[in-house]
Amino acid sequence: MKASSRLMILCSCWIVLLPLVLVACGGSSGSGSTNSGGQTLHVLVGANTTFAAQQKQWMQQIGNDFHKATGSSIVWDTYSSSSEEQTKIQTSIVSGSGPDIFSLGTTFVPTAQATKGFTTLTADDWNKVGGKSRFFPQQMTMAGSSPDQAIAVPWVMRPFGMAYNMDLFKKAGISAPPTTWSDFVTDAKKMTDTSAGVYGAEIDPSDSFDPWKIWWTFNEQMGGGSFLSPDLKTAEMNTPTAVNSVKFWFDWATTFKIADPNSMTWKATDATSAFGNGKVAMLNMVTPTITPTLQKSSVAGKYAFAPMPTVPYGMQQRPANGAPASTIVSGDMLAVADYSNVKDLAFKFINLVTDYQHQLDWTQTFGDLPANVQAANYLSNKDPKTAAFVKAEQGATPTPFSGEWGPLEISLASVSSKLANSVATNHYNPSQIKPLLDQANKEIQSKLH
C-alpha cells in the first residue's frame, strides 16, 4: 500500500549485498542461480531514503544472518513508487522472470493476486514461515482474497492513529484525547487560537492519500460501507453517507473553523510540519514512522498518540451497522512468485525477517510496528506510544479486496483537490460534493466487472 505514513521513499537502484553484485532497477531473475555460498534469493522491497543508510545496514545484516542460516545469499532490488511497484509486478509475472519475493503494500495484494502469478500458501507453507498465529489477525485479512487463497505473509504493520499536543490539551483543560468525533470538534474549538495561528485540527486536502482514508473512516463508522459493494461489483462512493463524510471533513475548515483556512494546498508533510511547530493540536492519519520526525521538532517530549475517534459526529455510539474503523489494515506483506524455483529458500527468508528478534530490530530502526504478535505486545507493554497504535490495530478494518482500489484512491484524491481549490478561492459550497463524487463513482464503476 502506498500508505500515507508520512514517510517519503525515493528511487534507489544501488542495493545489492552479499554477494556484492550490481542489479539495476527492474531486476532480472537470479532465482536458483548458484555461487560459492550456495543459492541466491532475489528480494524486491521499497526503497527508503529517510533511513537510507539504515536500510543498507539492515540489508547487510539480514544478508549475513540469512547466509549463516542457509548458506545462501540475497540479491536486493527496490522500487520507489506505487507505479514502479505495479510495473515490476506486471513485467515480472508476464515474463516469468524477476524477484523471488515481493514486498507489497496491503492494498497492492489484490493487484498481485489478480495476476495469478503468486504462490497460494498451503498449511505447510504457513508452518514454514512460523504459523498463522505468529501474525496479527487484522493483517491476515489482507493476505488474500479468502483465508484459503492467501498469497502474502504480514511483514510489518502501519496502523494509523492520532498525535496530540499534550501542552495544548493541558492549557485547554482537556484531560484525555477524544473518542467521539463530536468531542473531537469540541476539543479542537477549545484549542484553536487564530490570533496565535494555532488550530485544534488539520486537514491536508491536496495530499494524494490522506483524504480518501479519513473519508473512508467516517463512512465505515457511520455504516456507509467501504466505497465498493460487498461483491466488489458496484461503486458506492456517492451515497448520502459518503457525501456526509466528505462534508464533515471540509467542515473543519469552513464551518467549525478548527483547521487553518490556508491549508487547502497542504499535503501530509505540511500538516506534520505544522504539528511539529506547535500550530496544530491534533494530527490525524499518522503512523509510528512519524516519531523520528517529531522527536526532532519543537514538540519533542510534548506529544502523545491515541487511536482516532470511532463514534460518528453527532452520535454517542456507532450505529449497529457501523464499523470501528480506527485504522485501515495497513503495512507491508511478503509474497513469493510462482515462477521461483527456490520457494523453500523464500519461505526461510520470510520466517527470518518475521521472527521475534528481527521484528524488534526493524521497529527500533524504522518505526513500523511488528506484524509479529509477540514482538508487538512486548513493545506495547514497554511504551505507551506503541501501545496506542497496537490498540488502534485492534479496530483495524480491511479495505475492499479489489484490484481497482488504486484507481479509486486516485479518483477521490481528484475530488479532494477540486473541493480544496473551491475553498481556497472562496467558491466552496457543500452542494459541489455530490456531483464530484458522482463523476468519480462513474469512473470506477466503468472499471468494475
Side-chain angles (χ1 to χ4, degrees):
M1 153 184 194
K2 185 94 178 217
S4 179
S5 56
R6 303 173 195 257
L7 178 65
M8 297 186 67
I9 55 176
L10 300 174
C11 186
S12 179
C13 303
W14 38 266
I15 308 170
V16 175
L17 305 166
L18 194 61
L20 189 58
V21 179
L22 185 63
V23 173
C25 277
S28 60
S29 178
S31 302
S33 62
T34 59
N35 55 42
S36 59
Q39 295 177 303
T40 298
L41 185 72
H42 185 172
V43 180
L44 174 70
V45 298
N48 185 337
T49 56
T50 301
F51 300 109
Q54 292 90 332
Q55 186 182 41
K56 188 174 182 179
Q57 291 168 1
W58 175 84
M59 289 177 168
Q60 181 72 62
Q61 184 60 55
I62 292 298
N64 290 337
D65 293 348
F66 187 72
H67 186 71
K68 289 177 183 177
T70 67
S72 296
S73 303
I74 300 173
V75 170
W76 301 95
D77 192 7
T78 65
Y79 57 84
S80 62
S81 65
S82 59
S83 59
E84 187 178 1
E85 179 181 7
Q86 182 165 324
T87 298
K88 283 182 179 287
I89 292 172
Q90 293 172 337
T91 56
S92 296
I93 298 306
V94 169
S95 67
S97 172
D100 299 293
I101 296 177
F102 288 70
S103 169
L104 306 169
T106 48
T107 59
F108 257 88
V109 177
T111 299
Q113 189 153 43
T115 69
K116 302 184 185 303
F118 289 85
T119 301
T120 299
L121 301 169
T122 65
D124 184 51
D125 296 335
W126 279 110
N127 288 334
K128 291 177 181 177
V129 299
K132 291 183 178 180
S133 62
R134 172 180 281 190
F135 308 100
F136 271 84
Q138 292 85 355
Q139 295 296 305
M140 294 289 286
T141 63
M142 292 301 291
S145 57
S146 64
D148 62 347
Q149 293 295 314
I151 64 166
V153 180
W155 178 18
V156 295
M157 63 185 190
R158 240 171 261 121
F160 290 87
M162 178 178 71
Y164 64 97
N165 186 311
M166 294 186 293
D167 281 0
L168 292 177
F169 267 60
K170 183 177 180 180
K171 182 179 178 181
I174 303 170
S175 60
T179 58
T180 74
W181 289 108
S182 295
D183 288 343
F184 176 90
V185 172
T186 299
D187 291 348
K189 287 180 177 179
K190 291 179 181 178
M191 292 183 285
T192 295
D193 181 357
T194 56
S195 64
V198 175
Y199 292 86
E202 51 73 37
I203 64 175
D204 51 355
S206 292
D207 193 75
S208 298
F209 305 102
D210 278 1
W212 78 259
K213 289 188 179 72
I214 198 152
W215 301 347
W216 177 90
T217 296
F218 298 153
N219 201 54
E220 282 277 357
Q221 292 174 358
M222 288 189 282
S226 295
F227 294 152
L228 293 180
S229 62
D231 64 5
L232 307 179
K233 295 181 179 179
T234 306
E236 298 178 344
M237 301 152 60
N238 61 343
T239 64
T241 305
V243 172
N244 286 336
S245 297
V246 176
K247 179 181 180 300
F248 175 56
W249 196 53
F250 277 97
D251 280 348
W252 295 6
T254 62
T255 301
F256 303 132
K257 311 294 185 183
I258 57 176
D260 192 335
N262 296 314
S263 63
M264 294 305 107
T265 59
W266 281 13
K267 297 184 178 181
T269 50
D270 301 303
T272 298
S273 178
F275 181 84
N277 290 329
K279 298 299 184 180
V280 167
M282 292 182 284
L283 180 65
N284 286 297
M285 285 296 162
V286 300
T287 72
T289 56
I290 197 176
T291 301
T293 299
L294 296 185
Q295 285 300 100
K296 297 177 182 178
S297 74
S298 64
V299 299
K302 303 175 184 178
Y303 69 92
F305 296 119
M308 288 183 288
T310 58
V311 177
Y313 181 72
M315 302 182 189
Q316 293 303 309
Q317 61 183 22
R318 284 189 308 279
N321 60 342
S326 55
T327 175
I328 64 172
V329 175
S330 173
D332 292 328
M333 317 282 278
L334 297 171
V336 179
D338 254 345
Y339 56 68
S340 172
N341 59 5
V342 288
K343 289 183 181 179
D344 282 346
L345 205 59
F347 292 133
K348 288 178 181 179
F349 171 88
I350 295 174
N351 188 22
L352 177 75
V353 298
T354 62
D355 72 21
Y356 175 76
Q357 189 58 54
H358 284 96
Q359 289 269 284
L360 292 179
D361 293 344
W362 177 278
T363 298
Q364 182 177 5
T365 302
F366 301 104
D368 299 307
L369 292 189
N372 180 304
V373 174
Q374 181 187 7
N377 287 340
Y378 170 78
L379 293 174
S380 180
N381 290 332
K382 287 183 58 179
D383 179 23
K385 291 185 175 66
T386 301
F389 286 105
V390 172
K391 183 177 180 180
E393 175 69 14
Q394 293 167 359
T397 302
T399 48
F401 201 86
S402 169
E404 299 306 328
W405 194 256
L408 183 149
E409 293 180 20
I410 294 171
S411 292
L412 291 181
S414 177
V415 170
S416 182
S417 179
K418 290 173 182 175
L419 291 171
N421 183 65
S422 292
V423 174
T425 57
N426 297 314
H427 292 103
Y428 172 77
N429 189 300
S431 64
Q432 298 168 336
I433 297 173
K434 179 66 161 58
L436 289 173
L437 289 179
D438 285 343
Q439 180 59 38
N441 201 70
K442 183 178 179 181
E443 292 171 1
I444 298 305
Q445 185 60 56
S446 69
K447 300 176 183 293
L448 300 174
H449 303 294

